C-alpha cells in the first residue's frame, strides 16, 4: 500500500525558504507524478506543482519561488518555496498522480507550516 | 486560469437522503474533472476521476457525471460517514485548480 508522509519545519521566518520533504513507502518514486498542494481557510486548496522523473510543472502564480526535486535513492521528493510571507502559511500536502488524469491519490496527511517571526 | 465554482457552498441533509453537488468550470474542460472528499483535519481522498469513473474502493453510492463545463457529484443515499466537504478539481490545463468546496452536514 502506497503511503506518503510530509516532514519539515512547522515554523519559518518571513523572507526565508520553506523546505518540505515527502517520503514514499510501498512504492517507487521513479514512476508517477509527485505533487505538492497547500490549503488555507481563505483560499482553499491550491495546486503548487509536480515533479516526475524527467521534468516538473509549477503553478505560474508561484513559479518564481518554487523548486521541486526527486531523490530516488531515498524514495523522497522535496519542495522549496523561497521568500515566504504570512500568505504562505498553510497546510502542505504531497500526493501522487498518473500522467493521464492527474487525479491525486494517495495524499500525505499534511503538515502545517506557519510563517512568522 | 480556469475558475471552478461549486454549489451549494453548504447543505444540510439526513441519513438516507440523495445529495447532489454541482461543479462548474469557467471554460470547457472536457472530462478532466476529479472529485475529492475531505474530513476535518484530514487529507482529501479521491472519489471520482475523469468526471464519472469511481476510484477503487469508493462505495457505489457515489457517482459523477458531466462534461464540458458542468459536472455533478451525487450521493444516492447519504451515510453517516459521508458528512464531510467535497471539492472538485480540473486537470485540463495548467494550473490545476480546485473548487471552493461544499460542506455536507447533518440536518
Amino acid at each position: 500500500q502506497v503511503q506518503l508522509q510530509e516532514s519539515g519545519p512547522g515554523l519559518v521566518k518571513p523572507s526565508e525558504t520553506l523546505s518540505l520533504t515527502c517520503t514514499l513507502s510501498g512504492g517507487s518514486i521513479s514512476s508517477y507524478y509527485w505533487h505538492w498542494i497547500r490549503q488555507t481557510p481563505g483560499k482553499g486548496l491550491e495546486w503548487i506543482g509536480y515533479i516526475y522523473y524527467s521534468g516538473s510543472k509549477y503553478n505560474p502564480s508561484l513559479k518564481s519561488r518554487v523548486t521541486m526535486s526527486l531523490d530516488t535513492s531515498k524514495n523522497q521528493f522535496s519542495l522549496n518555496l523561497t521568500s515566504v510571507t504570512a500568505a504562505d502559511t498553510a497546510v502542505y500536502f504531497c500526493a501522487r498522480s498518473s500522467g493521464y488524469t492527474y487525479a491525486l491519490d494517495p495524499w500525505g496527511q499534511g503538515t502545517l507550516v506557519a510563517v512568522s517571526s | 486560469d480556469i475558475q471552478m465554482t461549486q454549489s451549494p457552498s453548504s447543505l444540510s441533509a439526513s441519513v438516507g437522503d440523495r445529495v447532489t453537488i454541482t461543479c462548474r468550470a469557467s471554460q470547457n474542460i472536457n472530462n478532466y474533472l476529479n472529485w475529492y472528499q475531505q474530513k476535518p483535519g484530514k487529507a482529501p481522498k479521491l472519489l471520482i476521476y475523469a468526471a464519472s469513473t469511481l476510484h477503487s474502493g469508493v462505495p457505489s453510492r457515489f457517482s459523477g457525471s458531466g462534461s464540458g463545463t458542468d459536472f455533478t457529484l451525487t450521493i444516492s443515499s447519504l451515510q453517516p460517514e459521508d458528512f464531510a466537504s467535497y471539492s472538485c478539481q480540473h486537470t485540463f490545463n495548467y494550473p490545476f485548480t480546485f473548487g471552493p468546496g461544499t460542506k455536507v452536514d447533518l440536518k
Side-chain angles (χ1 to χ4, degrees), chain A residues 6-61:
Chain A
E6 304 90 350
S7 60
L11 181 64
V12 181
K13 290 182 167 55
S15 79
E16 295 189 345
T17 296
L18 181 159
S19 295
L20 295 174
T21 296
C22 184
T23 301
L24 167 69
S25 58
S28 171
I29 206 156
S30 299
S31 305
Y32 295 96
Y33 289 64
W34 305 97
H35 300 249
W36 289 97
I37 308 99
R38 67 184 183 180
Q39 185 172 33
T40 61
K43 289 187 68 176
L45 290 161
E46 180 179 29
W47 176 76
I48 299 171
Y50 66 66
I51 188 164
Y52 65 114
Y53 70 95
S54 63
S56 59
K57 200 75 173 178
Y58 303 146
N59 190 322
S61 69

Side-chain angles (χ1 to χ4, degrees), chain A residues 33 35 37 39 44-47 50 57-61 93 100-110, chain B residues 1 31-32 34 36 38 41-46 48-50 55 87 89 91 94-100:
Chain A
Y33 289 64
H35 300 249
I37 308 99
Q39 185 172 33
L45 290 161
E46 180 179 29
W47 176 76
Y50 66 66
K57 200 75 173 178
Y58 303 146
N59 190 322
S61 69
F93 296 98
Y100 177 59
T101 68
Y102 295 98
L104 299 166
D105 177 77
W107 294 57
Q109 67 183 23
Chain B
D1 299 2
N31 69 334
Y32 288 89
N34 308 311
Y36 301 89
Q38 187 176 22
K42 301 293 187 181
K45 289 184 177 180
L46 178 64
I48 288 170
Y49 62 93
H55 181 54
S87 297
Q89 176 212 21
T91 55
Y94 301 109
F96 303 155
T97 55
F98 292 83

